[in-house]
Amino acid sequence: MLTKEIKDKLIQRAKDAWVRAYAPYSHYSVGSAVLTESGEIFDGVNVENAVYPLGVCGERVAIFKAVSEGHRSFQAIAVVTRNAGTPCGSCRQVMAEFGTDMIVLVANTAGELIQEYTVADLLPDSFGEADLQ
Ligand code: ZN
């Protein structure tokens, strides 16, 4: 169970990251922050490219940063955009790789929590490791 204090802290980290987004093409900045099982926070922003398909979402940057630092279990992820947009399908799949119980906090740039989901809510019946057995 995440306390309001922890949720607010995670949203604040995502909001702080949001200003560093590199989104010169879509002008749709995304800030994200993921909370590891051990209580560490890693943030990320979307990073676009002139070759559009090479861009990567903020949620995946945050998760990949955490994984590259040795974390594979996450409690929650916060996503901040100007209109509290929900994570795209690719990010939902990446989140599901590390657990469908993860809480997803969707907030706006005012720092207001607009929606709260689990990954399972956002990607029901997801494809995973078990499907490859
Ligand atoms: Zn995405």
Side-chain angles (χ1 to χ4, degrees), residues 33-131:
V34 66
L35 176 66
T36 69
E37 202 61 52
S38 58
E40 289 179 67
I41 295 174
F42 293 84
D43 58 24
V45 298
N46 54 332
V47 182
E48 296 182 348
N49 192 280
V51 179
Y52 287 10
L54 299 184
V56 64
C57 302
E59 300 94 312
R60 278 180 283 157
V61 170
I63 291 170
F64 293 165
K65 280 170 71 175
V67 171
S68 73
E69 294 298 322
H71 301 277
R72 294 183 177 180
S73 187
F74 306 108
Q75 300 183 55
I77 187 167
V79 186
V80 166
T81 59
R82 63 180 181 238
N83 61 350
T86 56
C88 78
S90 295
C91 288
R92 294 176 191 202
Q93 181 65 39
V94 167
M95 291 172 191
E97 178 72 20
F98 299 101
T100 55
D101 294 337
M102 190 191 329
I103 302 294
V104 182
L105 306 171
V106 176
N108 61 25
T109 46
E112 298 165 326
L113 175 61
I114 303 300
Q115 289 285 354
E116 181 172 338
Y117 306 93
T118 64
V119 172
D121 293 332
L122 294 173
L123 191 66
D125 303 320
S126 61
F127 185 89
E129 183 183 7
D131 295 301

Side-chain angles (χ1 to χ4, degrees), residues 3-14 105 111 113:
T3 64
K4 183 180 186 310
E5 182 184 21
I6 291 173
K7 289 178 186 178
D8 288 347
K9 183 178 176 185
L10 199 58
I11 289 168
Q12 184 63 49
R13 281 287 300 270
L105 306 171
L113 175 61

